[in-house]
Amino acid sequence: MLINKLNQLYKPERILYYLEVSPEEIKAFYNDVVPESINRYANAFGTYDYPGIFYVEALKKEVIGIEFRPDDPRIKYPAELKSIPLDASFFYSVEIDGDVEINYPFIKELFTEIAKEDNAHRPYSDLRIKDDVKVISVFHSYKKNRLLYEWKLYDDRAGHIMCDDYTKFEKEELYKSAFTDLITGNYNWNHLEAYLEVPADKGIADYAFAHFDIKEFRVINEAYGHIAANKVLSNIVKVMNESDLVIASGRCHNDNFAMLIKDMPEDELVQKLLDFFNSLSRLEEDPNYKIYYKCGVVPMKRAMLSGNRVADFAKMAQALATNQKQTEVVIYTDKMHEDLSWGNYIKAYVETAIEQDEFVVYLQPKFDINSEHIKGAEALIRWNYKNKEFLPPYRFIPYFEKDASIAKIDDIVLKKVCASLKRWKEEGKPLYPISVNLSRSRLYNENLIDNLVSIVDYYGVDHKLIDFELTESATYDNMEHMISVLEELRSRGFKISMDDFGTGYSSLSLLTRMPIDTLKIDKSFVDNVASRNERAEDTIVLRHIITLAKELNFVCLAEGAETKEQVDRLRTLGCEVIQGYYYSKPIPIPEYEEKYLR
């Protein structure tokens, strides 16, 4: 029998509306059959809980009922049911398997055993089991039974806090509140930070720093209960305090911990930490459940230079641990530090860069592979950083994708493309479609479509001349929403391209559903074609992608063709459009205009 100790809770004065029932109806309740006269009030305004079975001392019997808040003129109370007022009380709540037979002796014994563990201590109050229980209730759902058993409050510190009555606290209590963790009793981050500011006060000459948390800690909380989860946290504290690796430690928040640890060679340090976490991998309530951790470590040199900011760097390394089914220890490096510093700087500088018009649009032409005539172009962003040097996209795009800055960059590109198309139209020059990137982070902006349309319409550009490119290798949390956005854009007359096809994990399922006009085959499929590294398998895959695209009525475009041999082979395989250095590298707009819009 799995016992999930949920929480301790308070129910104020309330009215129980109930139905006297037979043993058969009680049994049916545990099979999800609730009498209609009760069930119709489930989730009604003013109910405190769901329909349940109640053991009420004053009734001397089990009943099925539902609790309501009293004396509220907005509530439609169940006049056809009997009722009884219930006093305010505290309850201990547990969840057990639904196939366990429930009766009063079983419940009494269960909570007597729970009380022996003395688990009802909370940060600001303590409970203990009542000898004269007035109310017990059982709620059934999803093959689980939730039991509420009446307890009593015997130590209430919450009122002093809410009333700001600090005279009720001793200095030692106040110190503990400020510098220790209420759940584990260990020191907290406030205490550990003192070590980082003045380590010499404790004779600490050097240290490495680790920050870690528990992978899928939410699962432990929800499946086994917060008491089991708190026990895991307390076990971590116990092992930290006993470890000869740890100089000082603290619980930061939730399941996050930090440690000053002894410096040693990297491979030795990683192994010691893995051994440390392995000793904490067992869940007492379920030996079959394995606990995994992710840990970021800042080596001694960088830790000593970072002071009390060291946690930021450790958490950056920690965030790179993404495998949910193993414990990972990631060492912070100078490159991570440089990336963090650079990323923070350019995010702060981006508004100035926009104001000074440092972002420049380049166009890379697309060519019909058979006629070798231009078919359009892709707009690519370049950053003329402080008008001194051009930064490659990898030096800024990934950083802007992590926040809202990428939307501003996308809009700059679209505006400059539209301004050029407007001018070319006024000058009577030929107009070819231009594709612009649509960053995935923008798909959840409810104003996205209106914003894009307003930009294009401001310049009076025909919608069919704008092709929005979406990266297939990107991950989308809500596929249905993404598809609806693309369908709406397409209904407005815009073209849609899937970029980097073949680099994601759901390519074929995407192809059957996404409203796209052009399929862009990723450069990685083209690189080995007509080269010394070519394999028959490469050509087979490429040929089938092209065939599939054509049968689905997509235009098939290959990226990255650099040689005549590659172009000839792609033509033979049936590809229709080429974008690559063989024809042209990305070039500034004036050069594109001079070469291709005569």
Side-chain angles (χ1 to χ4, degrees), residues 522-544:
D522 187 68
K523 183 179 183 295
S524 61
F525 286 88
V526 177
D527 286 342
N528 292 333
V529 171
S531 71
R532 287 181 298 176
N533 298 323
E534 182 177 14
R535 300 181 307 156
E537 293 87 347
D538 297 328
T539 304
I540 290 170
V541 171
L542 191 55
R543 182 174 67 248
H544 282 287

Side-chain angles (χ1 to χ4, degrees), residues 102-113:
I102 304 293
N103 52 52
Y104 181 81
F106 168 82
I107 295 174
K108 182 76 173 177
E109 182 180 355
L110 175 65
F111 281 94
T112 300
E113 289 300 314

Side-chain angles (χ1 to χ4, degrees), residues 472-490:
E472 188 271 342
S473 58
T475 300
Y476 301 96
D477 297 327
N478 189 332
M479 194 67 65
E480 297 299 328
H481 178 73
M482 176 192 72
I483 291 171
S484 69
V485 170
L486 298 183
E487 286 177 341
E488 177 65 19
L489 286 172
R490 206 159 178 244

Side-chain angles (χ1 to χ4, degrees), residues 385-396:
Y385 177 62
K386 296 188 176 181
N387 293 308
K388 293 179 180 179
E389 63 172 322
F390 277 87
L391 300 178
Y394 72 84
R395 288 286 287 151
F396 60 94

Side-chain angles (χ1 to χ4, degrees), residues 88-102:
S89 188
F90 291 88
F91 291 86
Y92 195 110
S93 172
V94 303
E95 186 179 76
I96 63 174
D97 299 328
D99 56 1
V100 176
E101 184 177 349
I102 304 293

Side-chain angles (χ1 to χ4, degrees), residues 69-196:
R69 181 173 61 227
D71 302 323
D72 190 328
R74 299 166 296 179
I75 295 175
K76 184 178 180 180
Y77 294 102
E80 72 276 21
L81 296 175
K82 294 181 178 181
S83 65
I84 184 172
L86 299 179
D87 294 333
S89 188
F90 291 88
F91 291 86
Y92 195 110
S93 172
V94 303
E95 186 179 76
I96 63 174
D97 299 328
D99 56 1
V100 176
E101 184 177 349
I102 304 293
N103 52 52
Y104 181 81
F106 168 82
I107 295 174
K108 182 76 173 177
E109 182 180 355
L110 175 65
F111 281 94
T112 300
E113 289 300 314
I114 289 174
K116 293 178 181 177
E117 299 179 10
D118 199 22
N119 277 324
H121 294 288
R122 300 187 292 182
Y124 308 118
S125 60
D126 293 322
L127 306 177
R128 63 165 57 108
I129 196 168
K130 288 186 73 172
D131 296 326
D132 55 336
V133 178
K134 307 294 185 185
V135 178
I136 302 171
S137 49
V138 182
F139 304 93
H140 179 80
S141 65
Y142 303 110
K143 300 182 179 180
K144 299 286 185 181
N145 289 316
R146 178 166 53 91
L147 282 59
L148 270 61
Y149 193 93
E150 199 172 10
W151 286 42
K152 64 181 177 181
L153 179 69
Y154 72 91
D155 186 5
D156 181 6
R157 301 175 297 280
H160 305 325
I161 294 171
M162 288 185 277
C163 296
D164 296 325
D165 190 357
Y166 56 85
T167 63
K168 298 294 184 180
F169 297 91
E170 299 293 334
K171 288 182 180 180
E172 183 179 351
E173 286 183 285
L174 295 175
Y175 180 86
K176 286 183 177 180
S177 296
F179 298 109
T180 63
D181 168 43
L182 293 172
I183 291 177
T184 65
N186 193 44
Y187 292 118
N188 60 20
W189 172 254
N190 294 334
H191 188 273
L192 188 62
E193 195 169 19
Y195 283 80
L196 300 174

